Every structure is written in C-alpha cells, then in structure tokens.
Amino acid sequence: KEILQPPSRQTTATTADGTKGKLVIVEGSMRMGGQEHFYLEPNSSLVIPSESATRLTIYASTQAPTKTQDFCARVTNTSAAKVVCRMKRMGGGFGGKETRSVFASVAAAVAAKVTNRPVRLTLGRDVDMSITGGRHAFLAKYKAGAIVDEVNGGVKLHALDVQLYNNGGCKFDLTGPVLDRALFHVDNCYYWPNFHSVGTPCKTSQPPHTAFRGFGGPQGMVVTEHIMDHLALACNVPGDQLRRDNMYTLDDATPFGMRFGLSFTGKWNVPSMWDRIHAELDVPGRRAAAAEFNKNNKWKKRGVSLLPTKFGIAFTAKFMNQGGALVHLYTDGTVLVSHGGTEMGQGLHTKVCQVAAQAFGIPLDDVYVDDSSTDKVANTLPSAASMSTDLYGMATLDACRQILKRLQPIKDSLPPGSTLKEVAKKGFF
C-alpha cells in the first residue's frame, strides 16, 4: 500500500481503578464510503483582465478567495496586489470549494492573461463530480474492552485500540487534517481509560479527496458508535445504558489532552442533554412501541436511535483561527460591511448584518454586506471549520465598537436621543 504521509498516533493509559468484574473484549473492522458534495452550483470562475492584462479581477464560486487570489497571481506571474478575487455568494460549498475550486480559477486566469480577454470557466456536473473529489472513505480496525461489574451488572469501558485508514486519492489535498480530526473524534463522548489510535492516509487512483462537512469528525464518531453497539451486544446491556454510563465527566480529559473541568471550560452539556431528551421524548416508550410495531408488520419496520456527539469548532491549525472585517459608516447613517467570510447558504451575511445593526442600534435594513473581496479584507482564511460566524461576527463587532468609541465625544456633544445619522454627519464636519 502507498501512504500520503507518516501515520498519526494518540495514546493514553491509566492505572487500574479497582473495578472488578468480567473483562469483555471485542474486535472487528468496519468501512464507510465517500460522499459527493453535490452543491447546486458547479465550480465556476470568471476572470476579467484590465490595464493591458496587468490586473486581474476574478469572480469565483469559492470558499477561499485569498487562496484563489494567491494561486492565480503565481501562475500568471502577477503580483497579488494586482489580482482581486470577489465572491458574493455560492450555490453551495460544503467544503468542496475550500481547495478544489482553485484550479478552475487558475485555468481561466491563465487564458485571460494570455488573450487579454474575459474568460469564464464553468465545469459541467459530470466533470465536476469526476475530478473534484469528495468525502474521504474510511476503513477502521479495532479491538475494544469493557469490564462488567459482578455486583450491579454495570459496564465500564476499559480500553480501545483502533487503526483508521482514509482514502486520500492520488494527491495530498486535505487528507492529513481530515484524518487528524477523525482521530480527535474517535473517542466521541466517552471516557476510555486506556486508548491507542493510529491514523494512516492512503494513496489510491481516485481524484484527490477533500474537505466535506464535518471534516473527518463524523467518520471518527461513526467508528466509535459501531464499537459501542458491538460492546453492548457482547456485554448484554442496552446501548443507551452503556453510552450514558461512560460519558466524560468534568474530571476527565480526552486522549489528546483537552479537559472539561471548571478551571478549563467548565461546560460539558452532553450528559444533561442526553438525560433530558431521554426523558422528555420518552425514548424507552418509543422503543417499546417500535418493537411492538415490528412484531406485527413483516415488511415495514421502525426504529429509534439516540446518539451523543461532540465536535471541535475550530481549525486544528491554530493560526487559521483569525478573521477580519471592514466597516464603513456613512453620513446618512447607513453601514457597509465587508468581511473575510464567504456566503454559501449558511446565512453568514445575515448574521453579520445583525451584529452590526445591534452594535449601532439601527434597523437591519440600514446595514449592507458587500461581496467578500481580497482588496477589502486581505489575507483571509477559507470559510470552514464551523468558525465563520464566530470569527467574522466578532471582527465586525470589534470594528463597530472602535467606530462608536471614536464617535462618543461627538455623541456627547449632541442632544440626547440623537440618531446615528446625526452623529455621523456631525463627525464628518
């Protein structure tokens, strides 16, 4: 087999806690396939040259305007200062346009530079699906153990040894970070006293696979839940009981060192959420009703599933957790916001508008978010990792507060209740 980078590893071990009982061991493997992004709008780019092809303006359907700007500048031997990427909104992205949209813009940029004419490149659906990659398929091999208490019949997880292999395709795109995030989630919500995991990115003949909603986290958690079901059957206990009895507490730490205790985040809501859902939705009653229905119906079947999840909202590369915003206050009291995030249907622009409107105390209609453009907010990061609202909402809020702080002396000089329009106009003069 060929691999794209050396395997990643995580290991933790604890001393025996005095629990006595029967040790139950299970082992096996499981596979999960890939997935196509199937965004409504295929990859598309329009490149318009100007100033005798010394400047390029790129209109691209991308989650990464700065990456698009950077690559187009490099392949056309143009300085980044003379290349602008604009992105108003995408017809869906889901991670598929975090990196794999760039080559379409690069091809159009080269043609526009050489011909000094506008060039548009839009991939057909079949071409887009065949070359852009998708969610990484995974193979997991595991061995897990749990201890069944001889007195009360309770079950405590004891150890997990798991090997993850993901299909990276023929080239290295985001396979390494996707595999790392799978390793960060293969414990899911459960405390394993003894834990060992290894992740290996595999090279295959498929197109390079890339980011996809969850970015490896779902694959890691699916493996865990498969193992929990296997252990529940082997220990002859309900899956719900095994899951609830082994969730992290505020005294525990994950295999990669993240702690839940009060001196750290102090927030670990999954157990209480589980208890509330289990009780308010009457999960045991629903399971009993489904079992009765299945007993009386040969072809139609019903089932009830309740699973806990945890997900790390951030880029694993810490320097990427940054964002910028540019806020303009005009003399008519309206506000224009440009930020580094991209809108792909998740409502980011609307939320940023709401942040600015609340900060200035003006109606939502008085705030407008312009396109995401590299000449307004430079050196941006891709809109990904479930971080965009946190990053660009807070960047916008910070910019609004700076403006308000500068205007405060002027506001104090005006009669109480003066509008933002009056304050802005007085500040201008």
Side-chain angles (χ1 to χ4, degrees):
K1 68 183 180 183
E2 288 191 73
I3 62 175
L4 292 168
Q5 72 174 20
S8 302
R9 300 176 184 270
Q10 289 186 117
T11 302
T12 58
T14 61
T15 57
D17 60 2
T19 302
K20 295 181 180 180
K22 177 185 176 183
L23 177 62
V24 177
I25 298 176
V26 300
E27 56 184 312
S29 64
M30 71 165 299
R31 296 175 183 268
M32 65 202 81
Q35 187 179 4
E36 168 58 34
H37 299 92
F38 209 77
Y39 25 69
L40 293 178
E41 175 193 29
N43 278 289
S44 182
S45 185
L46 169 64
V47 181
I48 301 175
S50 58
E51 304 292 337
S52 300
T54 61
R55 295 186 72 253
L56 297 175
T57 302
I58 306 161
Y59 297 87
S61 180
T62 180
Q63 295 172 237
T66 292
K67 188 184 295 289
T68 302
Q69 174 201 28
D70 178 41
F71 277 73
C72 289
R74 282 197 270 169
V75 299
T76 59
N77 196 28
T78 306
S79 66
K82 295 181 180 180
V83 178
V84 176
C85 180
R86 301 183 185 279
M87 219 301 298
K88 182 61 178 178
R89 62 181 68 86
M90 281 171 278
F94 314 111
K97 297 174 182 175
E98 183 177 345
T99 61
R100 302 297 295 147
S101 64
V102 175
F103 70 91
S105 297
V106 165
V110 170
K113 178 82 171 183
V114 171
T115 62
N116 195 22
R117 294 173 63 107
V119 174
R120 183 178 68 180
L121 176 60
T122 300
L123 302 184
R125 176 64 65 185
D126 54 343
V127 175
D128 191 297
M129 292 178 66
S130 65
I131 66 177
T132 57
R135 187 186 291 279
H136 288 73
F138 270 69
L139 165 66
K141 298 180 180 180
Y142 63 88
K143 186 175 183 180
I147 297 177
V148 182
D149 193 292
E150 297 173 338
V151 178
N152 58 26
V155 179
K156 283 294 183 180
L157 299 177
H158 179 64
L160 174 62
D161 183 12
V162 60
Q163 292 83 43
L164 300 179
Y165 303 88
N166 70 345
N167 180 349
C170 62
K171 297 292 182 182
F172 193 85
D173 187 77
L174 293 172
T175 298
V178 167
L179 185 59
D180 288 343
R181 186 166 284 261
L183 291 171
F184 290 147
H185 289 76
V186 76
D187 59 319
N188 200 6
C189 298
Y190 314 114
Y191 176 62
W192 300 87
N194 303 282
F195 182 94
H196 178 242
S197 64
V198 180
T200 304
C202 301
K203 184 177 182 180
T204 68
S205 60
Q206 296 180 4
H209 292 300
T210 189
F212 200 121
R213 192 79 180 108
F215 204 78
Q219 291 98 313
M221 291 185 286
V222 164
V223 171
T224 316
E225 294 306 323
H226 174 83
I227 295 170
M228 295 297 283
D229 283 337
H230 197 167
L231 279 171
L233 287 171
C235 297
N236 195 30
V237 295
D240 286 356
Q241 177 185 327
L242 180 65
R243 289 176 169 88
R244 181 62 183 88
D245 290 347
N246 289 278
M247 288 182 185
Y248 283 117
T249 69
L250 289 178
D251 297 324
D252 298 325
T254 65
F256 46 89
M258 182 176 178
R259 302 196 65 88
F260 300 97
L262 296 176
S263 61
F264 298 91
T265 64
K267 296 179 181 178
W268 176 236
N269 299 318
V270 172
S272 60
M273 291 169 62
W274 175 281
D275 293 341
R276 181 178 173 185
I277 291 172
H278 209 265
E280 292 185 4
L281 298 185
D282 187 23
V283 173
R286 288 171 183 251
R287 290 196 195 280
E292 182 67 23
F293 179 88
N294 294 340
K295 186 169 65 174
N296 298 323
N297 290 271
K298 182 176 182 179
W299 303 111
K300 279 175 108 174
K301 300 296 179 184
R302 292 176 179 172
V304 179
S305 178
L306 177 61
L307 298 175
T309 61
K310 66 172 173 61
F311 185 76
I313 299 178
F315 290 99
T316 47
K318 293 183 179 179
F319 78 92
M320 297 180 71
N321 296 305
Q322 57 175 298
L326 175 65
V327 177
H328 291 299
L329 171 60
Y330 294 98
T331 55
D332 66 350
T334 60
V335 173
L336 173 66
V337 180
S338 301
H339 61 82
T342 57
E343 174 63 59
M344 62 194 92
Q346 82 277 41
L348 175 61
H349 286 350
T350 300
K351 288 178 277 190
V352 169
C353 271
Q354 291 171 331
V355 169
Q358 185 171 343
F360 284 114
I362 57 177
L364 189 61
D365 288 344
D366 288 348
V367 183
Y368 179 71
V369 173
D370 206 354
D371 54 8
S372 303
S373 180
T374 56
D375 62 346
K376 302 294 192 304
V377 180
N379 307 321
T380 61
L381 281 305
S383 295
S386 302
M387 278 291 288
S388 296
T389 298
D390 298 73
L391 287 175
Y392 303 112
M394 292 305 294
T396 299
L397 180 60
D398 182 54
C400 294
R401 285 174 173 172
Q402 290 186 48
I403 293 173
L404 289 169
K405 184 177 180 180
R406 293 183 211 147
L407 288 176
Q408 189 61 46
I410 297 170
K411 183 179 179 181
D412 293 341
S413 68
L414 294 172
S418 297
T419 64
L420 183 63
K421 176 180 179 179
E422 294 169 336
V423 175
K425 186 165 289 188
K426 179 69 181 296
F428 177 74
F429 288 110

